[in-house]
């Protein structure tokens, strides 16, 4: 089984290692974990979006038979004097203190042996609030009439946030500015100037395994079992809250039932820890689907984008202002404003670019990372805008993009030279698949057809480096210890393929150990499509390290080079028996330079670029605004795929998810209340929401510094979908939708407005 | 809320079993808490996603909405009963070969529905499949692969008979 027979693993569509468990229902999700003598926690949540807590009456809940504890923010504060957490700001209390800042914020928790008892008791906790006016819109938040946080408390981890410490009377959690060239001059000399505003709505992840954490605190040691994407960060943050060495906090995870960014950084873990500390028993905090709506979401945003264009149809200048609706707690929102903000001008070669990107606090549920980290919200704006320009100049949308597209060797607006970024090839492939230059049936009568394209890009998140361990056992089998979390993206399989390839051993003799901070070395987090590139690279180096040691063993044993002795025999020759372990280790630190605060410029913003483009064909009923997506093509630059089938599934799954964000998903707040925190009223895509025809693909390319030429692709499939659909609708019926979601009603209203017969307000 | 409890008897994956359960508890809790079967699992908790799909007397139902006491005397089948874990059913094989899942949380529900569909209609069209499976959701969006898996499962079953 473990012989070094020639194996080729990388580049093949190998079925996922965990497939058997998944189809037999045996996968070990943390949501299914029960600990002996554990208590169930259920939260009492705020029914208002902004208010002072005057009093909490826990008496009736505590009197309910079976209730063990009722815990409030003050109780947490009694055991943890500074009970605030967050990756960018220490702004989020474990349970609300003094104030609530969003609908659904946890205010108190009941602990009971029976979850039903905990739930009933949580409903009879009486909280007296003094309601305050709320702010829900990012532009209003900038005006600062309602202040969400009295004082800003940056966490200190990010250099560009430090200057915000102690700032008062502002909702601005980060302002990022990019200055490239002389934009004012470009606009003054422009032949044409375009100016548009676009916006997106608040949506959420709806991972099917809800967020869950179990904490078991005993004898100065804590174990947390969590469906987290960031075990190392959870350990860091929980140890900080406790004032403990990180070695005393153990964070274990398993397969995740989806993540999509919802499970990065701390989510339920701090609460579970505090409750276990108070109750001195293991505690399970398992959110419901409804509670996920109150926990973490995707930023709504508003973008104003202006372009200066010369007489030849070249974009000479762009100014972008982006306002991100971060909700009540910053989570990782300030990083979204900066790391994604710098790309707001799009994948175009523009000499003069100004970008101002603002992260804002509001009284909405917190926003953080969601598949694309802000990029889809930006592509929505710049690719709608770009299409309008092409239309007004009478240039074919594909030709206009190709005239302006970034090419390898040219600097992006952030000041970094673009490498291994196949923008044009991706666009061309979409066009080819759509037969763009061929005839297109535009429909007739009340059923009109149109088509559109769009392209987006993203930088990867770089340091700190992952450091996996690849150990070869005495029988020649192999164990990989790495802290990449497999949440469905297939990373276990990819890492095993890489180790198998380097060690030249059979894939089924490799085991991937799931993240456990006592056992698997540090990794920042599984996010931002970084794992294949970063961890994949590090696993490759660690496997090479092990291989080097095996080769040294072979030569010490006097075996001729290239003898290809079975590994088990090599161990026997070296140690006299089938015993021992050979450990390979490595760090992988790609090149990266942080941006300058004043100009936003950096010579190396990312180790690789992600690129995704989409093409859509639609059919619109002009009498109702109803439209059908008859075809959706999605193409990405995946570098060289480690596992082509898994890559294709990632692209397709990302596109399906983005269809939901484009057509139906929308968190609606009315009078300070979230009206639709349920899959009944917040509609995610099902079988009938798929386009009539759907095609996903990637172009053959090579990422020179990637493991086996690969790069990340988990988010790229989201980029182009929304604007491609809006552009297709504009092509079909000549109306432009500028806000997501694109509903039939929005199209109908636009059609009526165009006909000079607008509908009244709904 | 702990309220009344009742002892029920039913057939679980072919075996006669008995369990004591609270009258307010649902079928998913019964399977998880009394039998350690986690293939039917809760996600939406509202009968909307199909992650908790179980076959009761041959009917596909959502475990989150079915009171456990109501399965007294019934024949209950879960994903764990579809194969012995060693030899997979044709539906299970087809889902693996078609790569019809990512995170896998929804997969047992889809596979049980596929079994039901193919029992009723061995050669379904794309539209039949979409209709039949429209009560199951997959947040990872593996729908195109699931469609392929159902068709492959149909072919595998046809080859067996
Ligand atoms: S959990 Fe039962 S249908 Fe969603
Ligand atoms: S595979 Fe993740 S929900 Fe379907």
């Amino acid at each position: 089984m473990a012989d070094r027979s020639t194996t080729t693993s990388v580049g093949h569509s190998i079925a996922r290692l965990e497939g058997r468990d998944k189809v037999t229902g045996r996968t070990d999700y943390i949501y299914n974990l029960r600990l002996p003598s554990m208590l169930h926690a259920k939260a009492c949540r705020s029914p208002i979006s902004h208010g002072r807590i005057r009093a909490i009456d826990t008496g009736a809940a505590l009197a309910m038979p079976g209730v063990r504890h009722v815990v409030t923010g003050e109780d947490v504060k009694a055991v943890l004097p500074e009970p605030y957490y967050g990756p960018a700001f220490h702004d989020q209390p474990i349970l609300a203190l003094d104030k609530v800042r969003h609908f659904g914020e946890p205010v108190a928790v009941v602990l009971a042996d029976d979850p039903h008892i905990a739930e009933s008791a949580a409903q009879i906790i009486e909280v007296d609030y003094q309601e305050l006016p709320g702010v829900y819109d990012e532009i209003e938040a900038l005006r600062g009439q309602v202040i969400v946080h009295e004082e800003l408390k940056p966490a200190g981890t990010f250099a560009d946030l430090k200057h915000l410490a102690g700032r008062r009377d502002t909702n601005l959690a980060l302002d990022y500015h990019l200055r490239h060239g002389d934009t004012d001059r470009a606009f003054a000399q422009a032949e044409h100037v375009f100016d548009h505003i676009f916006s997106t709505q608040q949506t959420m992840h709806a991972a099917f395994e809800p967020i869950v954490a179990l904490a078991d605190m005993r004898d100065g040691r804590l174990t947390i079992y969590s469906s987290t994407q960031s075990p190392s960060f959870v350990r860091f943050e929980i140890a900080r809250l406790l004032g403990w060495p990180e070695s005393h906090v153990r964070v274990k995870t398993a397969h995740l039932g989806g993540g999509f960014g919802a499970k990065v950084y701390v989510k339920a873990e701090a609460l579970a820890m505090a409750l276990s500390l108070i109750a001195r028993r293991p505690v399970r905090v398992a959110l419901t689907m409804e509670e996920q709506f109150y926990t973490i979401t995707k930023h709504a945003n508003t973008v104003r984008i202006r372009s200066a264009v010369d007489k030849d149809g070249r974009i000479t200048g762009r100014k972008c202002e982006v306002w991100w609706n971060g909700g009540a707690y910053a989570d990782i929102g300030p990083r979204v404003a900066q790391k994604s903000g710098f790309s707001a001008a799009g994948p175009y070669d523009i000499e003069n670019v100004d970008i101002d990107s603002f992260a804002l606090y509001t009284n909405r549920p917190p926003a953080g990372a969601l598949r694309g980290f802000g990029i889809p919200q930006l592509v929505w704006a710049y690719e709608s805008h770009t299409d309008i320009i092409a239309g007004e100049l009478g240039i074919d949308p594909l030709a206009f993009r190709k005239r302006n597209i970034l090419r390898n060797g040219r600097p992006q607006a952030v000041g970094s030279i673009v490498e291994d970024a196949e923008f044009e090839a991706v666009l061309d492939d979409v066009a080819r698949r759509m037969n763009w230059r061929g005839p297109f049936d535009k429909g007739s009568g009340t059923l009109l057809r149109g088509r559109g394209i769009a392209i987006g890009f993203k930088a990867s998140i770089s340091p700190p480096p992952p450091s996996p361990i690849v150990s070869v056992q005495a029988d020649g089998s192999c164990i990989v210890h790495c802290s990449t979390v497999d949440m469905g993206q297939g990373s276990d399989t990819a890492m095993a393929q890489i180790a198998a390839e380097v060690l030249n051993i059979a894939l089924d003799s490799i085991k991937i150990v799931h993240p456990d901070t006592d056992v698997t070395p540090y990794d920042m987090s599984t996010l931002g499509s970084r794992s294949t590139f970063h961890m994949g690279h590090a696993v490759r180096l660690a496997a090479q390290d092990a291989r080097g040691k095996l080769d040294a063993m072979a030569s010490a044993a006097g075996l001729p080079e290239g003898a290809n002795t079975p590994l088990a025999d090599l161990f026997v020759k070296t140690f006299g028996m089938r015993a021992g372990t050979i450990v390979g280790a490595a760090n992988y630190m790609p090149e990266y330079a942080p941006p300058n605060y004043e100009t936003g410029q950096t010579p190396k913003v990312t180790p690789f670029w992600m690129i995704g483009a989409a093409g859509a064909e639609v059919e619109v009923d002009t009498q109702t605004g109803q439209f059908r997506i008859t075809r959706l093509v999605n193409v990405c630059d995946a570098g060289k795929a480690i596992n082509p089938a898994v890559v294709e599934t990632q692209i397709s799954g990302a596109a399906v998810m983005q269809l939901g964000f484009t057509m139906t998903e929308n968190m609606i707040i009315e009078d300070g209340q979230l009206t639709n925190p349920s899959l009944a009223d917040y509609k995610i895509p099902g079988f009938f929401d798929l386009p009539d025809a759907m095609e996903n693909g990637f172009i053959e390319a090579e990422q020179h510094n990637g493991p086996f030429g690969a790069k990340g692709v988990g988010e790229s499939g989201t980029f182009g979908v929304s604007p491609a659909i809006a552009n297709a609708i504009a092509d079909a019926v000549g109306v432009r939708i500028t806000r997501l979601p694109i509903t039939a009603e929005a199209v109908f209203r636009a059609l009526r407005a165009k006909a000079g017969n607008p509908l009244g307000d709904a | 809320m702990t309220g009344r409890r009742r002892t029920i008897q039913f057939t679980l994956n072919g075996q006669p079993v008995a369990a004591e359960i609270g009258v307010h508890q649902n079928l998913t809790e019964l399977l998880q808490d009394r039998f350690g079967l986690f293939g039917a699992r809760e996600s939406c908790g509202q009968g909307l996603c199909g992650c908790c799909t179980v076959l009761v007397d041959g009917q596909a139902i959502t475990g989150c909405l079915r009171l456990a006491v109501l399965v007294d005397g019934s024949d209950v089948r879960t994903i764990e009963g579809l194969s012995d874990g060693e030899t997979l059913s044709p539906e299970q094989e087809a889902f693996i070969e078609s790569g019809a899942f990512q995170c896998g949380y929804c997969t047992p529900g889809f596979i049980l529905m596929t079994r039901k569909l193919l029992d009723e209609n061995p050669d379904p069209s794309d539209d039949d499949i979409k209709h039949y499976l429209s009560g199951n959701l997959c947040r990872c969006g593996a729908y195109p692969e699931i469609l392929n898996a159902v068709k492959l499962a149909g072919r595998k079953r046809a080859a067996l008979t």
Side-chain angles (χ1 to χ4, degrees), chain A residues 141-212:
Chain A
L142 194 62
R143 296 196 191 107
Q145 268 130 1
V146 170
I147 296 296
V148 182
H149 290 267
E150 280 64 32
E151 186 181 327
L152 300 187
K153 295 195 289 185
T157 1
F158 298 112
D160 59 337
L161 296 178
K162 285 199 179 122
H163 70 287
L164 296 172
R167 231 177 243 190
R168 300 183 73 86
D169 298 325
T170 178
N171 291 319
L172 195 58
L174 176 78
D175 53 320
Y176 166 78
H177 308 283
L178 180 146
R179 296 291 177 263
H180 179 72
D182 185 346
T183 309
D184 288 336
R185 209 178 69 187
F187 274 80
Q189 296 175 348
E191 183 81 13
H192 314 274
V193 169
F194 299 88
D195 184 350
H196 301 110
I197 292 178
F198 299 91
S199 61
T200 67
Q201 80 287 29
Q202 188 176 28
T203 56
M204 61 85 80
H205 313 69
F208 269 15
E209 178 198 18
I211 290 168
V212 58

Side-chain angles (χ1 to χ4, degrees), chain A residues 22 29 206-209 256-258 260 487-488, chain B residues 51 100-107 110 137-143 146:
Chain A
K22 284 187 173 168
Y29 306 104
F208 269 15
E209 178 198 18
L256 267 53
F260 316 116
M487 47 195 171
Chain B
C51 288
F101 48 82
Q102 296 194 35
C103 79
Y105 207 77
C106 68
T107 310
F110 273 104
L137 296 173
C138 172
R139 187 48 158 171
C140 299
Y143 299 112
I146 293 170

Side-chain angles (χ1 to χ4, degrees), chain A residues 237-319:
Chain A
E237 189 71 341
I238 296 295
R240 183 188 66 78
L241 283 164
L242 286 164
W244 287 6
E246 287 192 40
S247 56
H248 292 199
V249 177
R250 179 178 197 177
V251 181
K252 295 179 76 164
T253 183
H255 276 288
L256 267 53
F260 316 116
K263 300 171 179 176
V264 294
Y265 306 109
V266 166
K267 290 299 172 302
E269 299 88 354
L271 179 58
M273 172 273 285
L275 295 172
S276 184
L277 180 66
I278 289 168
R280 298 177 180 283
R281 278 174 64 176
V283 171
R284 177 175 186 253
V285 178
L287 302 193
T288 60
M289 184 58 80
E290 178 190 339
E291 288 176 298
Q292 295 201 96
F293 283 86
Y294 310 137
T295 305
I296 193 68
T297 69
K298 175 172 172 171
H299 287 80
N301 77 344
T302 301
V303 181
R304 180 178 182 198
I305 178 165
R306 288 174 277 176
S307 289
V309 182
D310 72 10
K311 60 178 188 340
D312 302 321
R314 289 222 30 129
I315 306 166
T316 54
R318 220 166 229 192
K319 294 189 187 189

Side-chain angles (χ1 to χ4, degrees), chain A residues 20 22-23 25 29 32 34 116-117 120 204-206 208 258 289 487-488 649-650 653 665 678 680 685-686, chain B residues 1-2 24 29 32 38 41 43 46 48 51 79 85-86 92 101-105 111 134 137 139-140 143 145:
Chain A
R20 218 165 226 285
K22 284 187 173 168
V23 301
Y29 306 104
N32 293 342
R34 308 286 185 267
H116 296 281
I117 291 177
S120 318
M204 61 85 80
H205 313 69
F208 269 15
M289 184 58 80
M487 47 195 171
T649 304
Q650 278 283 298
E665 298 181 41
S678 154
Chain B
M1 199 68 218
T2 34
H24 59 286
E29 290 178 279
Q32 296 191 345
F38 288 91
R41 47 190 65 132
S43 181
Q46 293 183 297
L48 301 163
C51 288
I79 188 76
E86 223 20 75
Q92 290 170 317
F101 48 82
Q102 296 194 35
C103 79
Y105 207 77
I111 290 178
S134 63
L137 296 173
R139 187 48 158 171
C140 299
Y143 299 112
E145 293 86 350

